Amino acid sequence: MKTPTSRLYESQRDFEQMQDLLMEARSLTHDWRYSHVGELAFNYFMVAIHLNPQEHIRLWHDNEKLVGYAILGEDPAFDWQLLPEYEWSGIEIEALMWAEARTDELRKHDKKRWDGGLVSGSRQDDIHRIAFLEQQGFQYCGDFAEVNMMRSLDEPIPESRLPDGYQVREVSETELTNRATIQREVWHPWTVGNVSDDDYARFMQLPGYYRDLDIVSIAPNGVIAAYVNGWIDPLNKIGDFGPVGALETFRRQGLTRAALLEGLRRMKAYGMNRVCISTGVSNVPAKQLYESIGFKIVNRYLDYVKLSEKQRAG
């Protein structure tokens, strides 16, 4: 096998190839070896609006074909994905060395922002990825970070029930400010909530974003009370939900549930045969909600952290 060459991210075409890589890799393995393209899209969006993809994403090509990528996001967080036939050929080490060197450089300029340990992770059943992380000095954080859940679309989808005066539909082109506002309010003060109106306009232009899968529950006064972003993988016929959220004053009224059910119906119309969703292991209300509409826990995602030499010393 020819040694793949690496370079930094250059353009949106690279992002589209990253999506293609994930779909191809999933088709060659199974549902939980690789991230969903929707998860990649939102992670890429966070890098694009808070950092610079051309400095925080590295790519590996064999001739013209993209065979692997690595992302260094905030926290700092490190992720990498390779096509199955290129795994454990040395690219993982190269990717980690790049991420660590980049993190060291960032710490010199903004110690407060980048001084945490390097965070990465693995699905619970990916023994090779876990072994690699541990061999490279990463330590399991001690708690499951997320539960991964799945629902077949062969099962009946319940009807939505909404309070009088509410409606569920796709977000409209005129609701940009309203849509960005709920993203900020639900997720404040986390990074995922640091989204401006202009940022969300950029998000809506991402390859893989479908406005008719950006589902919102609307209060009688026109406020977006709850929402869910939906994503599809047309090659593997699997949908994904995330992020999901509701304003605090509108919770426990069935509004998030209604948005999710509408999303399921639309994904089925797109030809998906199953849908996945994830949430924090300690988020009991979310797990109960997802289970109530047919999702079942099928895997878990574990957080690992690698401290710097300075952090280990003291």
Side-chain angles (χ1 to χ4, degrees), residues 1-265:
M1 181 187 298
K2 182 180 177 181
T3 302
T5 58
S6 72
R7 63 168 172 84
L8 291 172
Y9 180 95
E10 293 178 352
S11 69
Q12 181 174 288
R13 176 57 185 153
D14 288 332
F15 172 64
E16 293 169 351
Q17 290 184 342
M18 291 162 69
Q19 293 178 307
D20 291 341
L21 182 154
L22 286 183
M23 289 188 286
E24 179 182 348
R26 184 184 290 263
S27 73
L28 296 170
T29 54
H30 58 77
D31 279 337
W32 297 109
R33 275 282 303 280
Y34 292 88
S35 304
H36 193 278
V37 288
E39 185 179 351
L40 168 64
F42 202 84
N43 289 341
Y44 170 83
F45 172 57
M46 289 290 103
V47 170
I49 64 173
H50 297 148
L51 303 168
N52 180 353
Q54 295 179 339
E55 297 176 351
H56 287 259
I57 298 176
R58 194 162 195 89
L59 310 169
W60 282 262
H61 289 84
D62 189 347
N63 293 321
E64 297 299 315
K65 183 178 178 64
L66 181 69
V67 300
Y69 68 81
I71 299 179
L72 178 65
E74 294 179 285
D75 289 334
F78 166 62
D79 183 41
W80 78 93
Q81 303 285 339
L82 306 174
L83 287 176
E85 62 266 39
Y86 290 86
E87 289 185 308
W88 319 121
S89 62
I91 296 177
E92 292 86 355
I93 292 288
E94 190 177 339
L96 178 57
M97 290 176 64
W98 163 75
E100 291 183 315
R102 181 75 183 117
T103 302
D104 288 343
E105 182 181 350
L106 290 163
R107 285 171 178 151
K108 294 176 183 177
H109 298 284
D110 191 343
K111 186 174 184 294
K112 181 178 179 181
R113 185 179 184 185
W114 294 97
D115 203 36
L118 185 62
V119 177
S120 192
S122 173
R123 299 287 192 261
Q124 186 180 24
D125 59 354
D126 193 340
I127 59 174
H128 298 294
R129 190 178 178 102
I130 290 172
F132 172 79
L133 289 170
E134 292 177 343
Q135 289 164 6
Q136 300 305 315
F138 285 84
Q139 297 179 348
Y140 173 46
C141 292
D143 293 308
F144 294 129
E146 289 186 335
V147 289
N148 306 136
M149 308 178 78
M150 183 81 81
R151 186 201 197 278
S152 170
L153 288 176
D154 291 336
E155 301 171 3
I157 301 172
E159 291 298 317
S160 304
R161 294 181 181 179
L162 288 169
D164 291 342
Y166 288 78
Q167 59 176 313
V168 172
R169 55 170 170 77
E170 65 196 61
V171 69
S172 77
E173 294 178 339
T174 62
E175 292 176 308
L176 176 61
T177 296
N178 200 354
R179 182 63 183 83
T181 296
I182 188 173
Q183 182 71 29
R184 289 191 294 270
E185 293 189 12
V186 167
W187 295 100
H188 178 79
W190 292 286
T191 301
V192 70
N194 186 13
V195 174
S196 69
D197 292 5
D198 288 342
D199 291 335
Y200 206 84
R202 291 172 63 188
F203 180 61
M204 296 174 81
Q205 299 303 313
L206 276 183
Y209 171 89
Y210 291 76
R211 187 164 59 83
D212 60 342
L213 293 177
D214 196 341
I215 309 297
V216 292
S217 294
I218 307 294
N221 63 358
V223 169
I224 296 178
Y227 77 91
V228 58
N229 286 110
W231 309 89
I232 61 171
D233 173 344
L235 177 62
N236 297 289
K237 307 298 183 185
I238 180 169
D240 179 62
F241 284 134
V244 181
L247 295 175
E248 188 170 358
T249 56
F250 291 99
R251 291 173 186 170
R252 295 181 175 83
Q253 299 181 47
L255 303 178
T256 307
R257 186 177 194 272
L260 287 164
L261 291 173
E262 180 63 19
L264 290 174
R265 286 187 282 270

